[in-house]
Amino acid sequence: MLKQVFDKDQLSKVLTPSDVWQWDVLRFYGNVQTAVDHSVKHWRSCGLVLSPLEISTAKNRPVFVPSKMEDAFAIKLLDRFIRRIYKVRQSDRNRIVRQLVTLLKDSGDYHVLRLDINNCYESISFKRLIDKFEDDLILAPECVSLLRNIHNDLSKNHNLQGLPRGLAISPTLSELYLESLDKKIAVHADVIYSARYVDDIVIITPTKKENNVQRYVESVMNDMDLRLNNRAGKYYSGSSRCANFSYLGYSVSVDYKKGSANEVTVTVCPEKIKRIKYRIAISLAEYKRDRNFSLLKKRIKYISMLKKVKKGRNGDLLAGIAHNYQYVTDGFRCLKPIDGFLCTQLESPRFGLGTIERDEIKKISIYGNARKGSVGKFSKKQTVEIMRVWKNA
């Protein structure tokens, strides 16, 4: 059985640079090890009892955060224990996209269902998961008690029976809860292919079998207290030969080719394009307030370039548009309207940019940097400052 002890060795394994910056560890404790020692000492003297969670709002949804560093670290350790004991792993987004594109190239007559779980986190019963842990007798009593502590706080103080957005534990608990849904969909006789990434589901069925499959999926979801999201952009049902839908940040469209492989076009979806434009607008508005041109320039570069997130033995882990949307088929030409948007905004007198400053920013091309896979160098401190204004964007 995995060691489930809230000690220095275990805590040191889960802390990341993001934790260090979020809790300003270096300023308050001088170094990470001192913060680790302090946290473990706090747990031993005060017990694993969490303070009430703090709440904020992001994208019109409540987001919960631990009120103290010691609480946040305890929840991260709890998350590690559950993930390793139950072997919880999130689906590989890139793998799903590759598989989906390959299947859609088949010129056979199939049907595509793109489904979404409505209010996924909030709909998952926290209590049902805690009951499972108690019945399984695998998770340590300290861990179960910590989960009950979180659930009681959410229930009594926020009237929330589901999973809290914002806590490190929630993605793991969500994946664990939805494993049974994945298995039940996959074994249905009329399901050719199915995949789920967080709350987004895609299913390929034989033609004329889609209604039967959807009714089955909805029945299984109802038993789990889950519901489908039928809003525009979240639901699609159509023939694979002329499919046109958004999934996992991509817009996917199929051009049927009789007797040969279909042509599948993949681009960045309009919702993500809109989000990038929004971040540009926020950056310009912040420049108008603080007049920090150097920071504005870094923000625009950060939006357009790849970033090294983590160094690994098999290569660096990257993030950024060119990585997140690496399966586009148009060479990132779908990003050209963003460059046009940026140039239009730069010319607006309301931001107060001079000619020299405008020309400097115009040299940065979102499309160009994505197409070339340009990699930017941003320190952790710079990244925190750059992203500060995009907290809810």
Side-chain angles (χ1 to χ4, degrees), residues 110-114 210 235-244:
Y110 308 107
H111 199 92
V112 178
L113 286 172
R114 183 262 195 262
E210 64 276 4
Y235 174 82
Y236 176 82
S237 177
S239 170
S240 63
R241 290 179 170 178
C242 56
N244 192 334

Side-chain angles (χ1 to χ4, degrees), residues 164-182:
R165 294 179 185 272
L167 293 193
I169 195 72
S170 294
T172 299
L173 294 178
S174 172
E175 286 298 314
L176 186 60
Y177 189 83
L178 295 174
E179 278 181 357
S180 62
L181 174 64
D182 297 339

Side-chain angles (χ1 to χ4, degrees), residues 54-306:
E54 295 181 353
I55 186 171
S56 61
T57 302
K59 298 180 181 178
N60 298 317
R61 293 181 182 272
V63 175
F64 297 88
V65 293
S67 56
K68 298 194 302 186
M69 178 189 75
E70 300 86 349
D71 294 352
F73 290 177
I75 292 172
K76 287 206 71 171
L77 259 183
L78 173 62
D79 179 58
R80 171 183 167 83
F81 296 150
I82 295 175
R83 275 190 291 110
R84 299 196 68 185
I85 289 171
Y86 285 91
K87 296 179 173 59
V88 178
R89 294 185 65 182
Q90 189 176 64
S91 299
D92 185 332
R93 173 178 175 267
N94 289 333
R95 186 166 180 264
I96 293 172
V97 173
R98 290 197 304 270
Q99 291 175 338
L100 184 59
V101 170
T102 298
L103 289 165
L104 291 174
K105 286 180 179 179
D106 188 325
S107 59
D109 191 10
Y110 308 107
H111 199 92
V112 178
L113 286 172
R114 183 262 195 262
L115 310 174
D116 180 84
I117 302 172
N118 192 44
N119 295 325
C120 183
Y121 276 20
E122 293 81 359
S123 300
I124 292 174
S125 172
F126 203 155
K127 183 180 183 302
R128 188 182 292 188
L129 282 163
I130 294 173
D131 290 344
K132 169 185 168 57
F133 294 134
E134 289 188 325
D135 291 342
D136 289 346
L137 297 175
I138 300 175
L139 201 61
E142 273 185 321
C143 295
V144 176
S145 177
L146 200 53
L147 286 168
R148 284 207 174 278
N149 188 175
I150 297 170
H151 176 252
N152 290 338
D153 178 19
L154 294 168
S155 179
K156 293 177 181 178
N157 299 325
H158 305 284
N159 194 31
L160 177 64
Q161 301 301 322
L163 300 181
R165 294 179 185 272
L167 293 193
I169 195 72
S170 294
T172 299
L173 294 178
S174 172
E175 286 298 314
L176 186 60
Y177 189 83
L178 295 174
E179 278 181 357
S180 62
L181 174 64
D182 297 339
K183 291 175 182 177
K184 289 176 180 177
I185 294 174
V187 299
H188 191 283
D190 291 326
V191 170
I192 297 171
Y193 172 81
S194 65
R196 178 186 57 81
Y197 186 79
V198 189
D199 55 0
D200 292 316
I201 302 169
V202 65
I203 301 172
I204 296 180
T205 75
T207 188
K208 297 183 180 179
K209 297 290 185 179
E210 64 276 4
N211 291 335
N212 179 42
V213 170
Q214 182 170 328
R215 282 194 295 268
Y216 170 76
V217 172
E218 290 189 83
S219 175
V220 173
M221 288 176 60
N222 287 340
D223 290 341
M224 300 174 69
D225 296 323
L226 303 173
R227 300 291 182 271
L228 282 184
N229 184 351
N230 293 314
R231 286 190 295 113
K234 296 296 184 180
Y235 174 82
Y236 176 82
S237 177
S239 170
S240 63
R241 290 179 170 178
C242 56
N244 192 334
F245 62 99
S246 293
Y247 189 63
L248 303 185
Y250 291 96
S251 284
V252 182
S253 63
V254 179
D255 185 13
Y256 172 61
K257 302 292 183 181
K258 187 176 181 179
S260 62
N262 293 334
E263 182 179 341
V264 182
T265 302
V266 182
T267 59
V268 181
C269 76
E271 183 180 328
K272 299 303 178 183
I273 297 289
K274 183 178 179 181
R275 184 183 180 192
I276 296 170
K277 290 180 178 179
Y278 185 46
R279 286 194 167 190
I280 289 172
I282 289 176
S283 301
L284 288 166
E286 184 68 6
Y287 167 75
K288 180 181 179 180
R289 187 190 66 80
D290 64 17
R291 314 306 292 178
N292 189 335
F293 180 73
S294 174
L295 183 54
L296 170 63
K297 190 174 176 180
K298 286 175 184 174
R299 284 186 172 127
I300 304 303
K301 284 185 174 180
Y302 190 90
I303 289 171
S304 68
M305 304 178 86
L306 288 168

